[in-house]
Structure formats: structure tokens, C-alpha cells
Amino acid sequence: MELAVLEALNAERAARRASILVTELTSGRQRLVTPSGIAGDPLAEVLGEALRSGRSRLVEAGNERLFLTVQVPSPRLVITGAVHISQALAPMASMAGLDVTVIDPRTAFATSERFPGVDLRAEWPDVVLPRIGLDPFTAVAALTHDPKIDDPALTEALAAGCFYVGALGSRKTHGARLERLAARGVSREALATIHAPIGLDIGAASPAEIAVSVLAEIIGELRRRPAVRGQAA
């Protein structure tokens, strides 16, 4: 591999951005394609599908055999609120392959006893989120019902282009939330992408059932995300 290609690949990996290394098997030539460059690439359709699936593969283009090495950052779930739903959701999400972080400044709730083995941050979201660095491969679930905790996280998630942003609460509660976020400068288009009430409508009642509905919705968005999601706006 040429040094320039390797350096570019490592830079994309370090920044948690998706990319595809295209290798011509006959000549050995390689090039790196990022999501922003897919539309203008002669292999746009094939590259887009490879990025959506997240799977490396062997393809043929004309008389050339190519190997596509797909690099997609591991998906993450950031939860605000160390609540009962979070206690069920965190281990479920981990089992599904998501890296989970729970954020709640309320130290009475954010304890290792309640969240064993979880990346737990007993801090305010506006303090910890810049350090975590949200991106298009991160899902955010706001579960506290407390605007002081949830609103900053939602604002940050929408600005970062997270592939899923959901918030707990009734439609009336969400209406008030939209007004607050709009006052923070969040656009109408961004607000329309929030999943609220959070989770699929499966008639969930208990915290565990609600957690199932939330995780199912997150997985649905993760698998349907478009190829251009690899670059933050």
C-alpha cells in the first residue's frame, strides 16, 4: 500500500469517518473513496451499497476485478439519563454491538451498581459530549424528562448529524421541547428528524419493553442509513 493511501486511511479511521479502499487485483493499484466522493465515482452504485451494508466484498467492473475494503466506525449509543429504561437499554444495546455511554449528572442515579460494566459519566452533557465527540455513527437517546439534561444533548446530536436522535415523552411534552430547541437555534428541518415519542409503537409499558422498542428503532435507522452518512455536515 502506498504511504499516502495508508496515511489517508488511518486519518479517516481516527476521525471515525467511513471510507472504502478500492484495490484493483490485477495491477494492485489502490485508491481511497470517502462518502462525499461516492456520487461522482464511476462505481457509485456499487460503492454506495457496500457502504450501506458495511461489508467488504469482491466485485467486477468491466474486465477488472476489484476488492472493496469497507471501513465503517463501530456504532455508538449515548444515553442521557441513568433511569430504569436506561438500565435495561444499556446491556441490550451492548449485546447488539453498540458501544454504550450513559450520561447523567445526578450522582444518586449514575452509579456503577446500577450500571455495571457501562461507560458511565456523572457529568452534564454539555461538558462531556465535546470530549466524546458525537458523529453520524452515533445514536442519542434522551430519557430523563429533564430539559436541563436532555436539551443540550439533543442540540449537540442534531448538529453532529447523529444517525438516530430520540427523546422520551408524550406528544405534548415533545411540542414544548421543540419550542425550546428552536429557541436554541435548531432548524425546523433538524427538529423534524427527532424520534418522539421515542421507540417503535409496540404497546410497550414496562421499562424493559420500552428499551426493546427504542433499540429496535435505533437498529432500523442504523441499517437504513444512506451512504453519505459517513461525513458530518
Side-chain angles (χ1 to χ4, degrees), residues 118-189:
V118 175
D119 180 16
L120 187 62
R121 311 293 183 99
E123 301 176 83
W124 291 94
D126 53 358
V127 173
V128 70
L129 288 179
R131 296 203 303 267
I132 293 176
L134 301 182
D135 57 46
F137 293 89
T138 302
V140 172
L143 304 178
T144 72
H145 277 307
D146 186 340
K148 297 190 300 296
I149 299 174
D150 285 345
D151 287 6
L154 293 170
T155 302
E156 184 74 18
L158 294 172
C162 291
F163 76 86
Y164 175 89
V165 182
L168 188 67
S170 66
R171 286 178 173 78
K172 180 179 180 181
T173 297
H174 186 56
R177 177 188 293 126
L178 293 178
E179 293 181 3
R180 294 193 306 270
L181 294 177
R184 282 174 166 261
V186 181
S187 71
R188 182 179 304 175
E189 292 76 17

Short mmCIF file of all heavy atoms in Angstrom, two decimals, residues 118-189:
data_model
loop_
_atom_site.label_atom_id
_atom_site.label_comp_id
_atom_site.label_asym_id
_atom_site.label_seq_id
_atom_site.Cartn_x
_atom_site.Cartn_y
_atom_site.Cartn_z
N VAL A 118 -20.73 -0.43 32.34
CA VAL A 118 -21.14 0.58 31.36
C VAL A 118 -20.24 1.81 31.48
O VAL A 118 -19.84 2.18 32.59
CB VAL A 118 -22.62 0.98 31.56
CG1 VAL A 118 -23.01 2.12 30.63
CG2 VAL A 118 -23.52 -0.22 31.35
N ASP A 119 -19.93 2.42 30.36
CA ASP A 119 -19.21 3.70 30.37
C ASP A 119 -20.15 4.75 30.91
O ASP A 119 -21.03 5.25 30.21
CB ASP A 119 -18.75 4.06 28.95
CG ASP A 119 -18.00 5.38 28.90
OD1 ASP A 119 -17.57 5.87 29.96
OD2 ASP A 119 -17.86 5.92 27.79
N LEU A 120 -19.99 5.09 32.19
CA LEU A 120 -20.93 5.96 32.90
C LEU A 120 -20.26 7.30 33.19
O LEU A 120 -19.17 7.35 33.77
CB LEU A 120 -21.36 5.28 34.19
CG LEU A 120 -22.47 5.92 35.02
CD1 LEU A 120 -23.76 5.98 34.24
CD2 LEU A 120 -22.67 5.11 36.31
N ARG A 121 -20.91 8.38 32.79
CA ARG A 121 -20.35 9.72 33.00
C ARG A 121 -21.30 10.53 33.88
O ARG A 121 -22.39 10.93 33.42
CB ARG A 121 -20.16 10.44 31.66
CG ARG A 121 -19.43 9.63 30.59
CD ARG A 121 -17.99 9.37 30.94
NE ARG A 121 -17.31 8.65 29.87
CZ ARG A 121 -16.54 9.24 28.95
NH1 ARG A 121 -16.35 10.55 28.97
NH2 ARG A 121 -15.95 8.51 28.02
N ALA A 122 -20.91 10.75 35.12
CA ALA A 122 -21.74 11.55 36.05
C ALA A 122 -21.40 13.02 35.88
O ALA A 122 -20.88 13.69 36.77
CB ALA A 122 -21.50 11.09 37.49
N GLU A 123 -21.72 13.53 34.69
CA GLU A 123 -21.42 14.91 34.33
C GLU A 123 -22.57 15.47 33.50
O GLU A 123 -23.42 14.73 33.01
CB GLU A 123 -20.13 14.98 33.51
CG GLU A 123 -18.90 14.43 34.21
CD GLU A 123 -17.69 14.46 33.29
OE1 GLU A 123 -17.04 15.51 33.19
OE2 GLU A 123 -17.42 13.42 32.66
N TRP A 124 -22.57 16.79 33.31
CA TRP A 124 -23.58 17.41 32.46
C TRP A 124 -23.24 17.14 31.00
O TRP A 124 -22.06 17.14 30.62
CB TRP A 124 -23.63 18.91 32.72
CG TRP A 124 -24.20 19.24 34.07
CD1 TRP A 124 -23.50 19.46 35.22
CD2 TRP A 124 -25.58 19.36 34.41
NE1 TRP A 124 -24.36 19.70 36.25
CE2 TRP A 124 -25.65 19.66 35.80
CE3 TRP A 124 -26.77 19.25 33.69
CZ2 TRP A 124 -26.85 19.84 36.45
CZ3 TRP A 124 -27.97 19.44 34.34
CH2 TRP A 124 -28.01 19.73 35.71
N PRO A 125 -24.24 16.90 30.17
CA PRO A 125 -23.98 16.61 28.75
C PRO A 125 -23.14 17.66 28.04
O PRO A 125 -22.28 17.32 27.22
CB PRO A 125 -25.39 16.51 28.15
CG PRO A 125 -26.23 16.08 29.29
CD PRO A 125 -25.66 16.77 30.50
N ASP A 126 -23.40 18.94 28.32
CA ASP A 126 -22.65 19.97 27.60
C ASP A 126 -21.18 20.00 27.99
O ASP A 126 -20.36 20.62 27.31
CB ASP A 126 -23.28 21.35 27.78
CG ASP A 126 -23.50 21.72 29.24
OD1 ASP A 126 -23.19 20.89 30.12
OD2 ASP A 126 -23.97 22.84 29.50
N VAL A 127 -20.83 19.30 29.08
CA VAL A 127 -19.43 19.18 29.48
C VAL A 127 -18.78 17.95 28.85
O VAL A 127 -17.67 18.02 28.32
CB VAL A 127 -19.31 19.11 31.02
CG1 VAL A 127 -17.87 18.81 31.44
CG2 VAL A 127 -19.79 20.41 31.66
N VAL A 128 -19.49 16.83 28.90
CA VAL A 128 -18.89 15.57 28.47
C VAL A 128 -19.00 15.32 26.96
O VAL A 128 -18.11 14.70 26.37
CB VAL A 128 -19.50 14.39 29.26
CG1 VAL A 128 -20.94 14.15 28.85
CG2 VAL A 128 -18.69 13.11 29.04
N LEU A 129 -20.05 15.80 26.31
CA LEU A 129 -20.23 15.49 24.89
C LEU A 129 -19.12 16.01 23.99
O LEU A 129 -18.72 15.32 23.05
CB LEU A 129 -21.60 15.99 24.42
CG LEU A 129 -22.80 15.18 24.93
CD1 LEU A 129 -24.10 15.78 24.43
CD2 LEU A 129 -22.69 13.72 24.52
N PRO A 130 -18.59 17.23 24.22
CA PRO A 130 -17.47 17.66 23.38
C PRO A 130 -16.27 16.73 23.49
O PRO A 130 -15.51 16.58 22.53
CB PRO A 130 -17.15 19.06 23.92
CG PRO A 130 -18.46 19.54 24.48
CD PRO A 130 -19.08 18.32 25.10
N ARG A 131 -16.09 16.09 24.64
CA ARG A 131 -14.97 15.16 24.79
C ARG A 131 -15.26 13.84 24.08
O ARG A 131 -14.35 13.23 23.52
CB ARG A 131 -14.71 14.89 26.29
CG ARG A 131 -14.27 16.11 27.08
CD ARG A 131 -13.51 15.72 28.33
NE ARG A 131 -14.26 14.83 29.19
CZ ARG A 131 -15.02 15.24 30.21
NH1 ARG A 131 -15.15 16.54 30.45
NH2 ARG A 131 -15.64 14.37 30.97
N ILE A 132 -16.51 13.40 24.13
CA ILE A 132 -16.87 12.15 23.45
C ILE A 132 -16.81 12.32 21.94
O ILE A 132 -16.32 11.46 21.22
CB ILE A 132 -18.29 11.71 23.87
CG1 ILE A 132 -18.29 11.30 25.34
CG2 ILE A 132 -18.78 10.56 23.00
CD1 ILE A 132 -19.68 10.94 25.85
N GLY A 133 -17.32 13.45 21.45
CA GLY A 133 -17.31 13.71 20.02
C GLY A 133 -18.39 12.94 19.27
O GLY A 133 -18.15 11.86 18.76
N LEU A 134 -19.60 13.48 19.23
CA LEU A 134 -20.69 12.83 18.50
C LEU A 134 -20.41 12.88 17.00
O LEU A 134 -19.72 13.77 16.51
CB LEU A 134 -22.02 13.52 18.82
CG LEU A 134 -22.44 13.53 20.29
CD1 LEU A 134 -23.80 14.19 20.44
CD2 LEU A 134 -22.47 12.12 20.86
N ASP A 135 -20.99 11.91 16.27
CA ASP A 135 -20.76 11.84 14.83
C ASP A 135 -21.91 11.07 14.19
O ASP A 135 -22.81 10.58 14.89
CB ASP A 135 -19.41 11.19 14.52
CG ASP A 135 -19.27 9.79 15.12
OD1 ASP A 135 -20.22 8.99 15.00
OD2 ASP A 135 -18.22 9.49 15.71
N PRO A 136 -21.92 10.94 12.85
CA PRO A 136 -23.02 10.27 12.16
C PRO A 136 -23.14 8.77 12.44
O PRO A 136 -24.08 8.14 11.97
CB PRO A 136 -22.73 10.53 10.68
CG PRO A 136 -21.94 11.79 10.67
CD PRO A 136 -21.06 11.68 11.89
N PHE A 137 -22.23 8.20 13.18
CA PHE A 137 -22.32 6.80 13.55
C PHE A 137 -22.69 6.63 15.02
O PHE A 137 -22.47 5.59 15.62
CB PHE A 137 -21.01 6.07 13.22
CG PHE A 137 -20.76 6.00 11.75
CD1 PHE A 137 -20.07 7.00 11.09
CD2 PHE A 137 -21.26 4.94 11.00
CE1 PHE A 137 -19.86 6.95 9.72
CE2 PHE A 137 -21.07 4.89 9.63
CZ PHE A 137 -20.38 5.89 8.99
N THR A 138 -23.26 7.68 15.58
CA THR A 138 -23.69 7.68 16.97
C THR A 138 -25.20 7.89 17.04
O THR A 138 -25.75 8.71 16.32
CB THR A 138 -22.99 8.81 17.76
OG1 THR A 138 -21.58 8.64 17.68
CG2 THR A 138 -23.40 8.78 19.23
N ALA A 139 -25.84 7.12 17.92
CA ALA A 139 -27.26 7.33 18.23
C ALA A 139 -27.34 7.99 19.59
O ALA A 139 -26.53 7.71 20.49
CB ALA A 139 -28.00 6.00 18.26
N VAL A 140 -28.32 8.87 19.77
CA VAL A 140 -28.52 9.54 21.05
C VAL A 140 -29.96 9.33 21.49
O VAL A 140 -30.90 9.60 20.73
CB VAL A 140 -28.21 11.05 20.96
CG1 VAL A 140 -28.61 11.77 22.24
CG2 VAL A 140 -26.72 11.26 20.68
N ALA A 141 -30.13 8.85 22.72
CA ALA A 141 -31.45 8.65 23.30
C ALA A 141 -31.55 9.49 24.57
O ALA A 141 -30.80 9.28 25.53
CB ALA A 141 -31.68 7.18 23.62
N ALA A 142 -32.45 10.46 24.56
CA ALA A 142 -32.64 11.36 25.70
C ALA A 142 -33.81 10.84 26.54
O ALA A 142 -34.95 10.85 26.10
CB ALA A 142 -32.93 12.78 25.21
N LEU A 143 -33.52 10.42 27.77
CA LEU A 143 -34.51 9.69 28.56
C LEU A 143 -34.80 10.28 29.94
O LEU A 143 -35.44 9.62 30.76
CB LEU A 143 -34.04 8.23 28.73
CG LEU A 143 -33.75 7.44 27.47
CD1 LEU A 143 -33.24 6.04 27.82
CD2 LEU A 143 -34.98 7.35 26.58
N THR A 144 -34.37 11.50 30.21
CA THR A 144 -34.51 12.00 31.59
C THR A 144 -35.82 12.72 31.88
O THR A 144 -36.22 12.83 33.03
CB THR A 144 -33.38 12.97 31.96
OG1 THR A 144 -33.57 14.22 31.26
CG2 THR A 144 -32.02 12.40 31.65
N HIS A 145 -36.47 13.28 30.87
CA HIS A 145 -37.60 14.19 31.08
C HIS A 145 -37.15 15.52 31.67
O HIS A 145 -37.99 16.36 32.01
CB HIS A 145 -38.67 13.59 32.01
CG HIS A 145 -39.63 12.67 31.33
ND1 HIS A 145 -40.34 13.02 30.21
CD2 HIS A 145 -40.00 11.40 31.62
CE1 HIS A 145 -41.11 12.01 29.84
NE2 HIS A 145 -40.91 11.01 30.67
N ASP A 146 -35.85 15.74 31.81
CA ASP A 146 -35.33 16.98 32.39
C ASP A 146 -34.68 17.80 31.28
O ASP A 146 -33.64 17.43 30.75
CB ASP A 146 -34.30 16.65 33.47
CG ASP A 146 -33.81 17.90 34.22
OD1 ASP A 146 -33.96 19.01 33.68
OD2 ASP A 146 -33.29 17.74 35.34
N PRO A 147 -35.28 18.93 30.90
CA PRO A 147 -34.73 19.74 29.80
C PRO A 147 -33.30 20.17 30.03
O PRO A 147 -32.53 20.33 29.07
CB PRO A 147 -35.67 20.95 29.74
CG PRO A 147 -36.94 20.48 30.36
CD PRO A 147 -36.53 19.52 31.44
N LYS A 148 -32.91 20.37 31.28
CA LYS A 148 -31.54 20.83 31.56
C LYS A 148 -30.52 19.77 31.17
O LYS A 148 -29.36 20.09 30.89
CB LYS A 148 -31.39 21.17 33.05
CG LYS A 148 -32.28 22.32 33.53
CD LYS A 148 -31.91 22.76 34.93
CE LYS A 148 -32.04 21.64 35.97
NZ LYS A 148 -33.43 21.18 36.11
N ILE A 149 -30.94 18.52 31.15
CA ILE A 149 -30.04 17.43 30.77
C ILE A 149 -30.25 17.03 29.31
O ILE A 149 -29.29 16.89 28.54
CB ILE A 149 -30.25 16.21 31.69
CG1 ILE A 149 -29.95 16.59 33.15
CG2 ILE A 149 -29.37 15.04 31.25
CD1 ILE A 149 -30.28 15.49 34.14
N ASP A 150 -31.50 16.85 28.92
CA ASP A 150 -31.80 16.33 27.58
C ASP A 150 -31.57 17.35 26.47
O ASP A 150 -31.04 17.01 25.41
CB ASP A 150 -33.25 15.84 27.52
CG ASP A 150 -33.45 14.52 28.24
OD1 ASP A 150 -32.44 13.85 28.54
OD2 ASP A 150 -34.61 14.16 28.48
N ASP A 151 -32.00 18.60 26.68
CA ASP A 151 -31.95 19.58 25.60
C ASP A 151 -30.54 19.83 25.06
O ASP A 151 -30.34 19.87 23.83
CB ASP A 151 -32.59 20.90 26.03
CG ASP A 151 -34.11 20.80 26.12
OD1 ASP A 151 -34.64 19.69 25.96
OD2 ASP A 151 -34.76 21.84 26.37
N PRO A 152 -29.52 20.00 25.92
CA PRO A 152 -28.17 20.18 25.37
C PRO A 152 -27.70 18.98 24.56
O PRO A 152 -27.02 19.13 23.54
CB PRO A 152 -27.31 20.39 26.62
CG PRO A 152 -28.25 20.88 27.67
CD PRO A 152 -29.54 20.17 27.39
N ALA A 153 -28.05 17.77 25.02
CA ALA A 153 -27.65 16.57 24.29
C ALA A 153 -28.34 16.49 22.94
O ALA A 153 -27.72 16.14 21.93
CB ALA A 153 -27.97 15.33 25.12
N LEU A 154 -29.62 16.81 22.89
CA LEU A 154 -30.36 16.79 21.63
C LEU A 154 -29.81 17.83 20.66
O LEU A 154 -29.64 17.55 19.46
CB LEU A 154 -31.85 17.04 21.89
CG LEU A 154 -32.58 15.94 22.66
CD1 LEU A 154 -33.97 16.42 23.07
CD2 LEU A 154 -32.68 14.67 21.82
N THR A 155 -29.52 19.00 21.16
CA THR A 155 -28.96 20.05 20.31
C THR A 155 -27.64 19.62 19.70
O THR A 155 -27.40 19.78 18.51
CB THR A 155 -28.76 21.34 21.13
OG1 THR A 155 -30.01 21.76 21.70
CG2 THR A 155 -28.22 22.46 20.26
N GLU A 156 -26.77 19.04 20.54
CA GLU A 156 -25.47 18.59 20.07
C GLU A 156 -25.61 17.45 19.07
O GLU A 156 -24.91 17.39 18.05
CB GLU A 156 -24.63 18.14 21.26
CG GLU A 156 -23.20 17.74 20.92
CD GLU A 156 -22.32 18.93 20.61
OE1 GLU A 156 -22.69 20.07 20.98
OE2 GLU A 156 -21.27 18.73 19.97
N ALA A 157 -26.54 16.52 19.34
CA ALA A 157 -26.73 15.36 18.47
C ALA A 157 -27.22 15.78 17.09
O ALA A 157 -26.77 15.26 16.07
CB ALA A 157 -27.72 14.38 19.10
N LEU A 158 -28.14 16.72 17.04
CA LEU A 158 -28.66 17.19 15.76
C LEU A 158 -27.59 17.94 14.97
O LEU A 158 -27.49 17.79 13.75
CB LEU A 158 -29.88 18.07 15.99
CG LEU A 158 -31.11 17.37 16.58
CD1 LEU A 158 -32.18 18.38 16.97
CD2 LEU A 158 -31.68 16.34 15.59
N ALA A 159 -26.78 18.71 15.66
CA ALA A 159 -25.71 19.44 14.99
C ALA A 159 -24.65 18.51 14.43
O ALA A 159 -24.05 18.79 13.38
CB ALA A 159 -25.06 20.43 15.96
N ALA A 160 -24.44 17.37 15.11
CA ALA A 160 -23.41 16.42 14.68
C ALA A 160 -23.90 15.47 13.60
O ALA A 160 -23.10 14.70 13.05
CB ALA A 160 -22.92 15.62 15.89
N GLY A 161 -25.18 15.48 13.28
CA GLY A 161 -25.71 14.57 12.26
C GLY A 161 -25.79 13.14 12.71
O GLY A 161 -25.61 12.21 11.90
N CYS A 162 -26.06 12.91 13.99
CA CYS A 162 -26.18 11.54 14.51
C CYS A 162 -27.25 10.78 13.72
O CYS A 162 -28.28 11.35 13.34
CB CYS A 162 -26.55 11.57 15.98
SG CYS A 162 -25.23 12.18 17.05
N PHE A 163 -27.01 9.48 13.49
CA PHE A 163 -27.92 8.72 12.64
C PHE A 163 -29.27 8.48 13.30
O PHE A 163 -30.26 8.18 12.63
CB PHE A 163 -27.29 7.40 12.19
CG PHE A 163 -27.26 6.30 13.23
CD1 PHE A 163 -28.33 5.46 13.43
CD2 PHE A 163 -26.11 6.10 14.00
CE1 PHE A 163 -28.29 4.45 14.37
CE2 PHE A 163 -26.05 5.09 14.94
CZ PHE A 163 -27.15 4.26 15.13
N TYR A 164 -29.32 8.63 14.63
CA TYR A 164 -30.59 8.47 15.35
C TYR A 164 -30.59 9.44 16.52
O TYR A 164 -29.62 9.52 17.28
CB TYR A 164 -30.75 7.04 15.87
CG TYR A 164 -31.99 6.84 16.73
CD1 TYR A 164 -33.21 6.50 16.15
CD2 TYR A 164 -31.95 7.04 18.10
CE1 TYR A 164 -34.34 6.33 16.92
CE2 TYR A 164 -33.08 6.89 18.89
CZ TYR A 164 -34.27 6.53 18.30
OH TYR A 164 -35.40 6.38 19.06
N VAL A 165 -31.68 10.17 16.65
CA VAL A 165 -31.88 11.06 17.80
C VAL A 165 -33.30 10.84 18.29
O VAL A 165 -34.26 11.09 17.56
CB VAL A 165 -31.66 12.54 17.42
CG1 VAL A 165 -31.84 13.42 18.66
CG2 VAL A 165 -30.29 12.76 16.80
N GLY A 166 -33.45 10.34 19.51
CA GLY A 166 -34.77 10.07 20.06
C GLY A 166 -34.93 10.67 21.44
O GLY A 166 -33.95 10.86 22.17
N ALA A 167 -36.16 10.98 21.80
CA ALA A 167 -36.43 11.61 23.10
C ALA A 167 -37.70 11.06 23.71
O ALA A 167 -38.72 10.90 23.03
CB ALA A 167 -36.53 13.13 22.94
N LEU A 168 -37.63 10.77 24.99
CA LEU A 168 -38.77 10.24 25.73
C LEU A 168 -39.78 11.36 26.02
O LEU A 168 -39.40 12.50 26.24
CB LEU A 168 -38.27 9.65 27.05
CG LEU A 168 -39.26 8.86 27.91
CD1 LEU A 168 -39.66 7.57 27.20
CD2 LEU A 168 -38.62 8.53 29.26
N GLY A 169 -41.05 11.01 26.02
CA GLY A 169 -42.07 12.00 26.37
C GLY A 169 -43.28 11.93 25.46
O GLY A 169 -43.21 11.42 24.34
N SER A 170 -44.39 12.46 25.95
CA SER A 170 -45.62 12.49 25.16
C SER A 170 -45.51 13.51 24.03
O SER A 170 -44.55 14.29 23.95
CB SER A 170 -46.79 12.87 26.07
OG SER A 170 -46.63 14.20 26.53
N ARG A 171 -46.51 13.50 23.15
CA ARG A 171 -46.51 14.48 22.06
C ARG A 171 -46.60 15.90 22.60
O ARG A 171 -46.00 16.82 22.05
CB ARG A 171 -47.67 14.18 21.10
CG ARG A 171 -47.43 12.95 20.23
CD ARG A 171 -48.60 12.63 19.33
NE ARG A 171 -48.26 11.56 18.39
CZ ARG A 171 -48.23 10.27 18.71
NH1 ARG A 171 -48.54 9.89 19.95
NH2 ARG A 171 -47.89 9.37 17.81
N LYS A 172 -47.35 16.09 23.68
CA LYS A 172 -47.44 17.42 24.29
C LYS A 172 -46.09 17.84 24.84
O LYS A 172 -45.64 18.98 24.65
CB LYS A 172 -48.49 17.40 25.40
CG LYS A 172 -48.66 18.75 26.10
CD LYS A 172 -49.73 18.68 27.17
CE LYS A 172 -49.89 20.04 27.87
NZ LYS A 172 -50.92 19.99 28.93
N THR A 173 -45.43 16.92 25.52
CA THR A 173 -44.10 17.20 26.06
C THR A 173 -43.12 17.52 24.94
O THR A 173 -42.30 18.43 25.03
CB THR A 173 -43.57 16.00 26.87
OG1 THR A 173 -44.43 15.77 27.99
CG2 THR A 173 -42.16 16.23 27.36
N HIS A 174 -43.24 16.76 23.84
CA HIS A 174 -42.34 16.98 22.72
C HIS A 174 -42.61 18.32 22.04
O HIS A 174 -41.67 18.98 21.57
CB HIS A 174 -42.47 15.84 21.71
CG HIS A 174 -41.48 15.92 20.60
ND1 HIS A 174 -40.12 15.98 20.81
CD2 HIS A 174 -41.64 15.98 19.23
CE1 HIS A 174 -39.50 16.06 19.65
NE2 HIS A 174 -40.40 16.06 18.68
N GLY A 175 -43.87 18.74 22.01
CA GLY A 175 -44.18 20.04 21.43
C GLY A 175 -43.47 21.16 22.17
O GLY A 175 -42.90 22.07 21.55
N ALA A 176 -43.49 21.08 23.49
CA ALA A 176 -42.78 22.08 24.30
C ALA A 176 -41.28 21.98 24.07
O ALA A 176 -40.56 23.00 24.03
CB ALA A 176 -43.11 21.89 25.78
N ARG A 177 -40.80 20.77 23.92
CA ARG A 177 -39.36 20.55 23.67
C ARG A 177 -38.95 21.20 22.35
O ARG A 177 -37.90 21.85 22.27
CB ARG A 177 -39.07 19.06 23.63
CG ARG A 177 -37.63 18.71 23.31
CD ARG A 177 -37.46 17.22 23.10
NE ARG A 177 -37.69 16.48 24.31
CZ ARG A 177 -38.55 15.47 24.45
NH1 ARG A 177 -39.30 15.10 23.41
NH2 ARG A 177 -38.68 14.84 25.58
N LEU A 178 -39.76 21.04 21.32
CA LEU A 178 -39.44 21.63 20.02
C LEU A 178 -39.33 23.15 20.11
O LEU A 178 -38.46 23.76 19.47
CB LEU A 178 -40.49 21.24 18.99
CG LEU A 178 -40.56 19.76 18.61
CD1 LEU A 178 -41.69 19.51 17.61
CD2 LEU A 178 -39.23 19.28 18.04
N GLU A 179 -40.20 23.75 20.89
CA GLU A 179 -40.15 25.21 21.06
C GLU A 179 -38.84 25.62 21.75
O GLU A 179 -38.21 26.62 21.35
CB GLU A 179 -41.35 25.69 21.88
CG GLU A 179 -42.69 25.53 21.17
CD GLU A 179 -43.85 26.04 22.01
OE1 GLU A 179 -43.58 26.57 23.12
OE2 GLU A 179 -45.00 25.91 21.57
N ARG A 180 -38.43 24.85 22.75
CA ARG A 180 -37.18 25.19 23.45
C ARG A 180 -35.98 25.02 22.52
O ARG A 180 -35.08 25.87 22.50
CB ARG A 180 -36.99 24.29 24.68
CG ARG A 180 -38.01 24.49 25.78
CD ARG A 180 -37.55 23.80 27.06
NE ARG A 180 -37.23 22.40 26.87
CZ ARG A 180 -38.09 21.40 26.99
NH1 ARG A 180 -39.37 21.67 27.31
NH2 ARG A 180 -37.72 20.13 26.82
N LEU A 181 -35.95 23.94 21.76
CA LEU A 181 -34.82 23.70 20.87
C LEU A 181 -34.78 24.72 19.74
O LEU A 181 -33.70 25.15 19.32
CB LEU A 181 -34.89 22.28 20.31
CG LEU A 181 -34.73 21.15 21.33
CD1 LEU A 181 -34.88 19.79 20.64
CD2 LEU A 181 -33.39 21.23 22.04
N ALA A 182 -35.94 25.11 19.26
CA ALA A 182 -35.99 26.16 18.23
C ALA A 182 -35.41 27.46 18.77
O ALA A 182 -34.70 28.18 18.06
CB ALA A 182 -37.42 26.36 17.74
N ALA A 183 -35.70 27.74 20.04
CA ALA A 183 -35.16 28.94 20.67
C ALA A 183 -33.63 28.87 20.81
O ALA A 183 -32.96 29.90 20.89
CB ALA A 183 -35.79 29.14 22.05
N ARG A 184 -33.11 27.64 20.82
CA ARG A 184 -31.66 27.45 20.85
C ARG A 184 -31.04 27.62 19.47
O ARG A 184 -29.82 27.55 19.32
CB ARG A 184 -31.32 26.06 21.37
CG ARG A 184 -31.43 25.87 22.87
CD ARG A 184 -31.21 24.40 23.23
NE ARG A 184 -30.97 24.21 24.65
CZ ARG A 184 -29.79 24.07 25.21
NH1 ARG A 184 -28.71 24.10 24.45
NH2 ARG A 184 -29.66 23.91 26.50
N GLY A 185 -31.86 27.77 18.45
CA GLY A 185 -31.35 27.95 17.11
C GLY A 185 -31.35 26.71 16.24
O GLY A 185 -30.81 26.73 15.13
N VAL A 186 -31.98 25.62 16.72
CA VAL A 186 -32.05 24.39 15.93
C VAL A 186 -33.06 24.59 14.80
O VAL A 186 -34.17 25.09 15.03
CB VAL A 186 -32.45 23.19 16.81
CG1 VAL A 186 -32.49 21.91 15.96
CG2 VAL A 186 -31.47 23.03 17.96
N SER A 187 -32.71 24.18 13.60
CA SER A 187 -33.57 24.41 12.44
C SER A 187 -34.80 23.51 12.48
O SER A 187 -34.81 22.45 13.11
CB SER A 187 -32.79 24.14 11.14
OG SER A 187 -32.54 22.75 10.99
N ARG A 188 -35.83 23.93 11.75
CA ARG A 188 -37.06 23.15 11.66
C ARG A 188 -36.80 21.79 11.03
O ARG A 188 -37.37 20.78 11.43
CB ARG A 188 -38.10 23.92 10.84
CG ARG A 188 -39.44 23.22 10.71
CD ARG A 188 -40.41 24.06 9.90
NE ARG A 188 -40.57 25.38 10.46
CZ ARG A 188 -41.29 26.35 9.89
NH1 ARG A 188 -41.89 26.12 8.71
NH2 ARG A 188 -41.40 27.53 10.46
N GLU A 189 -35.91 21.76 10.02
CA GLU A 189 -35.59 20.50 9.35
C GLU A 189 -34.93 19.52 10.31
O GLU A 189 -35.24 18.33 10.32
CB GLU A 189 -34.66 20.76 8.16
CG GLU A 189 -35.30 21.51 7.00
CD GLU A 189 -35.45 23.01 7.29
OE1 GLU A 189 -34.79 23.52 8.23
OE2 GLU A 189 -36.24 23.66 6.57
#
